[in-house]
Amino acid sequence: MTQQRSTIFSTIDEMLESSEFAGRPALDLIREIQELYLENDKPWVIGYSGGKDSTTVLSLVYVAVSKLEKSLRTKHIYVISSDTLVETPLVVDMVNSSIQAINDNAKALDLPFTGHVVYPDWGETFWVNLLGKGYPAPTQNFRWCTERMKIDPVSEFITDKIAKYGEVIVVLGARSQESASRAQVIAKHKIDGSSLSRHSSLPGAFTYMPIEDWTFDEVWMYLLSAPAAWGGNHYELFDLYKDSSAGECPLVIDTNTPSCGNSRFGCWTCTVVTKDRAIEGLIESGETWLQKLKDFRNKLYVTTDPAVKDQYRNYKRRTGKVQYARGSIDNENVTELKTIPGPYWLSVRKDWIKELLTIQKHLNDEGHEIELIRSEELFAIRREWMFDPNEPDWSDELPAIYRNVYGKDLNWPDTDGGSFNQDDAELLQSLSKQYRTPAELVMKLLELEMSMDGLGRRKGLFNKIESILKNDWGSLEEILAHKEQAKPTTSITNGTSYDDQLDQLAKEYEALQ
């Protein structure tokens, strides 16, 4: 994709001397950045997503600081990029190469820059939540992914620097022209008489947005008119945008930061949008291998349709209970309750993880070095399956699924295995029919007993047993029938004695448990 092309100016210094942006000489902005850098000892954190806006901001700061005398370059600048582990692969490659180039160049020139990539915790990645815990594919109404995968890793990094230095300045490539909502967010937190804004959720953090008034054309004019500050040029970035017809996902630092729109680079698994126009554009431009990812993403998107949710998702929530919600009722006599679907069935998750691993293997075999799911995520998913609140996987099937696809084993941690196996599960299934007791109920009770084994004081055991027994067990039809039977069928009359009334209420209360 990268082509050797010349720029209008042979150096970035020539471009800055001859250009102005947002009605302001470029060198004037460079001086503002230098003055702000020298104003105090607060370290800077630059949010770098690899897109056009964040690249422009990083370049401006890089140039401004490099022009300072060495003795003045005392304050460190952290360049952080957030990798959700499901980013568009071509963007990941470009960001990683840029981070490496920045680190190498900064070291060679003795500049106070270091590039860092932050990731979500292994227990909070997209695949661990979706395939491990069974969370439904994200939607506008249930976008569980942004906070876990983007906000938390970045906030943790920034919070760590605040704890170390007291305060930090976060430099972002946000522009008011990008959207009306972004313009409102920028204006809301602005400090009067200052180029800084207060961070909306992190005490001790301030934000600086040096290109907030720039236009789309000005950003590209800056990037393409001169070589990159850390070597090379920005034509690969331009080609990526051109081929995908996409924008960029900003580095998300709080819930007020606008999320990705319909045509932005972001997670290839994103089901919040109807179509992933970015990846479609890349496929049309020749990156046909991405079709496999698009097809898998579309398969996840289908499950967000309310009409088919019951086919893919358990009737119980992860709490172990069936949750009810009244639909829109036009007739006041209609009292039918609807159930709110819970996590994906374990069988669905098993099919998907096998397909995902197969896609990964095929792409690797075709020469595409890509890791769609990490081994650490597989370990976490295995634990989630083994101790699933509704469908504990005593068969421990994930190692077999991996072996079936790859023909070899991972170094699975021994501690992940449960105390029971497939034979135990099959025995309980056969006994459950004989004794009319759900096998899953017995499984959870046995798991609890094993978890408490060897403890000198088994504090809270009976409360935990009671909690398990109070969950909804059996088929949905059996649960609904039990709920119907538990409804009070008699009314208390004035002619009933006080003791009889208490006795009757006690029986009805027990039936409701």
Side-chain angles (χ1 to χ4, degrees):
M1 184 182 293
T2 305
Q3 301 178 23
Q4 295 298 324
R5 286 171 281 191
S6 60
T7 54
I8 298 174
F9 299 95
S10 58
T11 67
I12 199 166
D13 287 342
E14 292 179 14
M15 184 268 288
L16 291 172
E17 291 173 359
S18 305
S19 305
E20 66 174 40
F21 302 95
R24 179 185 190 183
L27 288 177
D28 188 34
L29 177 57
I30 294 297
R31 282 190 289 272
E32 175 187 289
I33 295 172
Q34 290 175 329
E35 290 171 1
L36 186 61
Y37 176 83
L38 297 172
E39 190 174 278
N40 51 58
D41 59 356
K42 298 181 181 67
W44 285 16
V45 177
I46 300 180
Y48 177 60
S49 69
K52 65 185 190 307
D53 296 335
S54 62
T55 301
T56 298
V57 164
L58 174 58
S59 175
L60 287 166
V61 176
Y62 202 90
V63 171
V65 174
S66 66
K67 289 182 175 298
L68 292 172
E69 293 182 12
K70 183 177 179 180
S71 60
L72 298 176
R73 302 195 298 253
T74 58
K75 188 164 63 176
H76 199 78
I77 299 175
Y78 300 92
V79 181
I80 61 168
S81 177
S82 175
D83 185 351
T84 62
L85 301 178
V86 283
E87 302 287 332
T88 303
L90 297 178
V91 176
V92 174
D93 293 341
M94 187 181 64
V95 169
N96 288 341
S97 62
S98 295
I99 290 288
Q100 185 62 50
I102 291 165
N103 282 333
D104 292 343
N105 194 258
K107 185 177 181 180
L109 299 179
D110 198 18
L111 296 175
F113 288 81
T114 52
H116 307 263
V117 180
V118 295
Y119 304 94
D121 291 338
W122 291 121
E124 294 296 349
T125 70
F126 183 84
W127 296 126
V128 172
N129 278 296
L130 187 132
L131 296 177
K133 302 173 186 176
Y135 279 26
T139 63
Q140 285 286 1
N141 295 327
F142 187 37
R143 191 183 297 210
W144 51 261
C145 48
T146 304
E147 185 168 354
R148 289 174 170 83
M149 295 159 51
K150 282 183 175 287
I151 296 177
D152 288 349
V154 173
S155 296
E156 184 177 346
F157 186 96
I158 296 174
T159 301
D160 177 71
K161 303 311 170 193
I162 294 174
K164 183 176 181 180
Y165 299 103
E167 293 180 327
V168 300
I169 294 175
V170 183
V171 189
L172 300 172
R175 292 187 298 112
S176 297
Q177 195 188 71
E178 278 286 277
S179 69
S181 60
R182 184 173 298 183
Q184 291 174 358
V185 171
I186 292 174
K188 180 180 179 181
H189 300 284
K190 197 75 173 178
I191 299 174
D192 291 339
S194 172
S195 54
L196 299 178
S197 302
R198 298 189 185 279
H199 193 284
S200 61
S201 60
L202 292 176
F206 299 85
T207 56
Y208 174 45
M209 305 174 190
I211 65 168
E212 61 179 288
D213 297 322
W214 287 31
T215 65
F216 173 88
D217 290 338
E218 287 175 326
V219 169
W220 282 120
M221 187 184 303
Y222 176 89
L223 292 174
L224 301 181
S225 294
W230 44 84
N233 58 52
H234 299 296
Y235 277 108
E236 180 182 5
L237 176 63
F238 178 74
D239 288 338
L240 196 58
Y241 271 81
K242 176 171 60 68
D243 290 342
S244 67
S245 301
E248 66 181 294
C249 276
L251 185 89
V252 181
I253 60 173
D254 55 42
T255 54
N256 293 315
T257 304
S259 298
C260 304
N262 287 337
S263 60
R264 293 184 178 275
F265 285 126
C267 303
W268 68 266
T269 56
C270 184
T271 50
V272 175
V273 295
T274 304
K275 290 185 177 181
D276 187 341
R277 302 188 188 281
I279 207 165
E280 286 180 354
L282 291 171
I283 292 170
E284 291 172 1
S285 69
E287 303 290 345
T288 54
W289 61 278
L290 292 172
Q291 184 66 45
K292 292 184 175 69
L293 304 191
K294 177 189 171 184
D295 291 342
F296 192 84
R297 175 264 173 200
N298 290 345
K299 186 169 292 189
L300 298 180
Y301 178 76
V302 168
T303 69
T304 64
D305 182 354
V308 299
K309 284 183 179 180
D310 290 344
Q311 299 176 27
Y312 298 95
R313 294 168 59 182
N314 200 323
Y315 46 82
K316 292 194 292 184
R317 309 303 294 271
R318 281 179 57 82
T319 58
K321 291 182 175 293
V322 175
Q323 186 171 344
Y324 304 91
R326 293 187 182 274
S328 25
I329 300 174
D330 298 322
N331 187 332
E332 62 180 10
N333 294 321
V334 176
T335 58
E336 181 181 357
L337 289 174
K338 294 182 179 180
T339 59
I340 301 175
Y344 289 121
W345 291 106
L346 186 58
S347 60
V348 172
R349 290 180 259 163
K350 289 180 177 179
D351 289 342
W352 281 346
I353 204 167
K354 181 178 181 180
E355 183 174 354
L356 182 66
L357 288 169
T358 301
I359 292 172
Q360 177 175 272
K361 183 177 185 302
H362 287 170
L363 290 176
N364 292 162
D365 291 343
E366 293 168 2
H368 301 286
E369 295 184 8
I370 185 171
E371 201 169 14
L372 299 179
I373 184 168
R374 311 291 180 97
S375 58
E376 292 87 349
E377 293 178 279
L378 293 173
F379 300 154
I381 290 170
R382 184 191 185 199
R383 287 192 295 272
E384 292 292 341
W385 286 7
M386 290 288 293
F387 303 103
D388 188 89
N390 295 319
E391 303 178 88
D393 183 29
W394 281 10
S395 61
D396 192 17
E397 199 168 338
L398 188 50
I401 292 174
Y402 186 90
R403 190 183 312 115
N404 180 264
V405 173
Y406 276 93
K408 61 181 182 180
D409 280 317
L410 279 178
N411 187 23
W412 300 97
D414 292 335
T415 54
D416 277 359
S419 303
F420 308 100
N421 56 36
Q422 178 64 20
D423 290 339
D424 297 325
E426 291 176 357
L427 174 61
L428 286 180
Q429 289 290 350
S430 63
L431 291 174
S432 69
K433 297 176 182 178
Q434 180 180 349
Y435 292 96
R436 300 179 63 185
T437 301
E440 292 79 8
L441 166 60
V442 181
M443 290 167 118
K444 299 310 293 185
L445 289 172
L446 288 173
E447 282 182 358
L448 174 61
E449 171 61 25
M450 291 298 297
S451 71
M452 306 290 282
D453 185 45
L455 296 179
R457 292 183 60 198
R458 307 209 291 181
K459 184 178 180 180
L461 175 61
F462 290 108
N463 289 336
K464 292 177 180 179
I465 292 175
E466 182 181 15
S467 177
I468 291 175
L469 293 175
K470 283 184 176 180
N471 286 346
D472 293 320
W473 300 102
S475 67
L476 180 59
E477 291 75 16
E478 291 170 337
I479 292 170
L480 293 176
H482 178 74
K483 183 178 179 64
E484 185 66 27
Q485 292 173 0
K487 288 182 179 179
T489 56
T490 60
S491 59
I492 298 175
T493 63
N494 291 332
T496 310
S497 70
Y498 180 75
D499 290 339
D500 289 340
Q501 292 179 25
L502 287 179
D503 184 57
Q504 182 180 315
L505 286 172
K507 291 179 180 178
E508 292 179 355
Y509 176 79
E510 290 177 2
L512 288 170
Q513 299 304 300

